[in-house]
Amino acid sequence: MADSAQAQKLVYLVTGGCGFLGEHVVRMLLQREPRLGELRVFDRHLGPWLEELKTGPVRVTAIQGDVTQAHEVAAAVAGAHVVIHTAGLVDVFGRASPETIHEVNVQGTRNVIEACVQTGTRFLVYTSSMEVVGPNTKGHPFYRGNEDTPYEAVHRHPYPCSKALAEWLVLEANGRKVRGGLPLVTCALRPTGIYGEGHQIMRDFYRQGLRLGGWLFRAIPASVEHGRVYVGNVAWMHVLAARELEQRAALMGGQVYFCYDGSPYKSYEDFNMEFLGPCGLRLVGARPLLPYWLLVFLAALNALLQWLLRPLVLYAPLLNPYTLAVANTTFTVSTDKAQRHFGYEPLFSWEDSRTRTILWVQAATGSAQ
Ligand SMILES: NC(=O)C1=CN([C@@H]2O[C@H](COP(=O)(O)OP(=O)(O)OC[C@H]3O[C@@H](n4cnc5c(N)ncnc54)[C@H](O)[C@@H]3O)[C@@H](O)[C@H]2O)C=CC1
Ligand SMILES: C[C@H](CCCC(C)(C)O)[C@H]1CC[C@H]2[C@@H]3[C@H](O)CC4=CC(=O)CC[C@]4(C)[C@H]3CC[C@]12C
């Protein structure tokens, strides 16, 4: 009996396990994956919070490494049953060069796939993004779409380009023979804009509001809706997908799934106010205060300044032509594919997700009231 229980213990590897999403995946695995025997957390920057996890019943191995280094990835993957590849360079602000974004997101993913093939790891879950689909450069709305909704996906920005290519690599690798002769089973999860504890952009907006005396100013029409999903539910979806890949390989292998939950459809700014409002901020204006052409002009000016100042200093404001286009284009998903394919139901209700996020913003910014 003890032997068979022992035999079922699995080794999981989470790349990017110290990031915003990665930390939630790591904690979720420890809480909700009974077959977990060892958890390897691979990241370029290891978080100090990992130490406290090492005292629990599951062996937690922290691995400082870089996904662009094939040998480091192969060493981390060797002996793992499942890889959750969430490491990525999330940059739509021009902080990193297009080459670096490609290197981390595309070559890094290639290294993970090759490591699985070489070392005999059979199950790979990839954190893709809604950005793989859109919004496209033409600003076409994607309204309540699902995984089969036709949409003209046209990318120019390095981040969505890299995520699209990496996702394609992962899906194409499904069925490849890994060491030992068995097939690799892969799937990709596409979160919309993730929010929750640890969301840095939310904190940036809060700080911006404080600097402006507690006010934020509406820039985008309230009618432009954004799909948002709570980080705990995204983590849960990863854990479930990873767990079910073996039993449902024929159904799930090579598939993509949007990440969704019960979060309401709202504009980016109105959605943020669900958390920032209770922290004391107010959003001014039922309509955008500035005309759209002026925002386009300011975004272009920011891009020009970024380019001019690059030799001297990194200037990377939130507003640039790409973020403006994303923020100003409706992109919402409505699907039950993950529920049908692997029984996903959100673990956290909207009320719960909202409360947790508010408490985090209050604690992270010292605004509890
Ligand atoms: N934040 C969001 O709204 C969304 C994020 N995603 C995807 O989710 C994943 C996680 O994103 P976040 O947690 O938001 O970002 P994050 O920046 O908080 O986490 C990414 C993690 O990857 C690590 N990393 C970066 N480069 C690395 C490298 N070369 N080698 C090893 N580790 C490296 C970072 O140190 C970080 O801990 C990414 O793949 C991203 O594309 C997808 C959709 C939405
Ligand atoms: C920063 C944007 C909001 C500022 C707009 C302004 C300056 C007019 O107020 C954010 C609006 C939409 C965000 C993106 C969206 O949630 C989809 C994403 C998916 C990812 O995979 C990565 C992050 C992001 C690109 C996200 C980034 C910030 C926004 C552009």
Side-chain angles (χ1 to χ4, degrees), residues 137-212:
T137 48
K138 298 176 180 173
H140 292 157
F142 187 86
Y143 183 77
R144 313 281 196 266
N146 64 29
E147 290 82 354
D148 300 317
T149 302
Y151 188 79
E152 194 183 339
V154 187
H155 310 295
R156 273 199 220 115
H157 191 278
Y159 175 74
C161 286
S162 70
K163 295 300 285 185
L165 191 44
E167 184 191 91
W168 181 82
L169 290 171
V170 168
L171 302 180
E172 214 225 9
N174 182 62
R176 270 181 75 181
K177 296 279 181 287
V178 304
R179 184 177 172 177
L182 291 170
L184 180 63
V185 188
T186 68
C187 72
L189 306 188
R190 293 173 173 169
T192 53
I194 307 173
Y195 70 93
E197 304 96 304
H199 186 209
Q200 295 312 314
I201 301 179
M202 186 80 76
R203 201 155 70 177
D204 293 348
F205 273 113
Y206 182 73
R207 292 200 173 130
Q208 195 180 63
L210 285 189
R211 278 199 299 275
L212 297 170

Side-chain angles (χ1 to χ4, degrees), residues 90 92-93 129-131 159 193 201 205 219 226 268 319 323 326-327:
V90 185
V92 291
F93 306 110
S129 167
M130 68 175 239
E131 294 266 309
Y159 175 74
I201 301 179
F205 273 113
H226 266 256
Y268 193 80
L319 178 64
T323 59
V326 176

Side-chain angles (χ1 to χ4, degrees), residues 95-109:
R95 293 179 188 137
S97 71
E99 293 76 23
T100 308
I101 294 173
H102 182 91
E103 187 67 12
V104 174
N105 293 353
V106 181
Q107 188 55 42
T109 301

Side-chain angles (χ1 to χ4, degrees), residues 123-125 185-187 241-249 252-253:
F123 304 103
L124 170 61
V125 176
V185 188
T186 68
C187 72
R243 182 189 296 168
E244 297 299 323
L245 261 186
E246 182 169 12
Q247 293 303 318
R248 307 185 194 211
M252 293 175 66

Side-chain angles (χ1 to χ4, degrees), residues 14-282:
V14 181
T15 71
C18 293
F20 166 41
L21 171 62
E23 177 176 348
H24 285 267
V25 172
V26 163
R27 293 186 186 277
M28 187 65 72
L29 278 168
L30 289 169
Q31 286 165 20
R32 300 256 170 187
E33 184 42 69
R35 294 193 303 164
L36 191 64
E38 181 189 347
L39 178 54
R40 298 178 187 167
V41 183
F42 182 97
D43 204 298
R44 212 148 74 96
H45 305 289
L46 295 176
W49 53 270
L50 275 176
E51 290 308 312
E52 94 210 23
L53 303 183
K54 290 184 179 166
T55 54
V58 172
R59 182 173 167 199
V60 176
T61 312
I63 307 170
Q64 184 174 23
D66 187 334
V67 287
T68 67
Q69 302 303 310
H71 64 283
E72 294 182 8
V73 178
V77 170
H81 297 97
V82 183
V83 175
I84 299 180
H85 176 41
T86 188
L89 194 45
V90 185
D91 181 19
V92 291
F93 306 110
R95 293 179 188 137
S97 71
E99 293 76 23
T100 308
I101 294 173
H102 182 91
E103 187 67 12
V104 174
N105 293 353
V106 181
Q107 188 55 42
T109 301
R110 207 175 264 132
N111 290 341
V112 169
I113 294 167
E114 291 310 319
C116 290
V117 170
Q118 283 162 23
T119 66
T121 297
R122 284 199 58 212
F123 304 103
L124 170 61
V125 176
Y126 173 61
T127 314
S128 182
S129 167
M130 68 175 239
E131 294 266 309
V132 162
V133 178
N136 63 20
T137 48
K138 298 176 180 173
H140 292 157
F142 187 86
Y143 183 77
R144 313 281 196 266
N146 64 29
E147 290 82 354
D148 300 317
T149 302
Y151 188 79
E152 194 183 339
V154 187
H155 310 295
R156 273 199 220 115
H157 191 278
Y159 175 74
C161 286
S162 70
K163 295 300 285 185
L165 191 44
E167 184 191 91
W168 181 82
L169 290 171
V170 168
L171 302 180
E172 214 225 9
N174 182 62
R176 270 181 75 181
K177 296 279 181 287
V178 304
R179 184 177 172 177
L182 291 170
L184 180 63
V185 188
T186 68
C187 72
L189 306 188
R190 293 173 173 169
T192 53
I194 307 173
Y195 70 93
E197 304 96 304
H199 186 209
Q200 295 312 314
I201 301 179
M202 186 80 76
R203 201 155 70 177
D204 293 348
F205 273 113
Y206 182 73
R207 292 200 173 130
Q208 195 180 63
L210 285 189
R211 278 199 299 275
L212 297 170
W215 304 103
L216 285 168
F217 300 92
R218 189 184 294 280
I220 304 294
S223 56
V224 177
E225 290 182 352
H226 266 256
R228 303 289 289 270
V229 59
Y230 176 61
V231 66
N233 287 324
V234 180
W236 173 230
M237 202 163 155
H238 280 70
V239 170
L240 261 190
R243 182 189 296 168
E244 297 299 323
L245 261 186
E246 182 169 12
Q247 293 303 318
R248 307 185 194 211
L251 181 66
M252 293 175 66
Q255 293 290 322
V256 295
Y257 302 93
F258 277 122
C259 295
Y260 55 90
D261 62 12
S263 303
Y265 301 114
K266 281 181 178 240
S267 76
Y268 193 80
E269 288 163 327
D270 285 309
F271 191 86
N272 284 354
M273 288 314 293
E274 290 281 350
F275 320 106
L276 301 180
C279 294
L281 298 195
R282 292 291 166 264

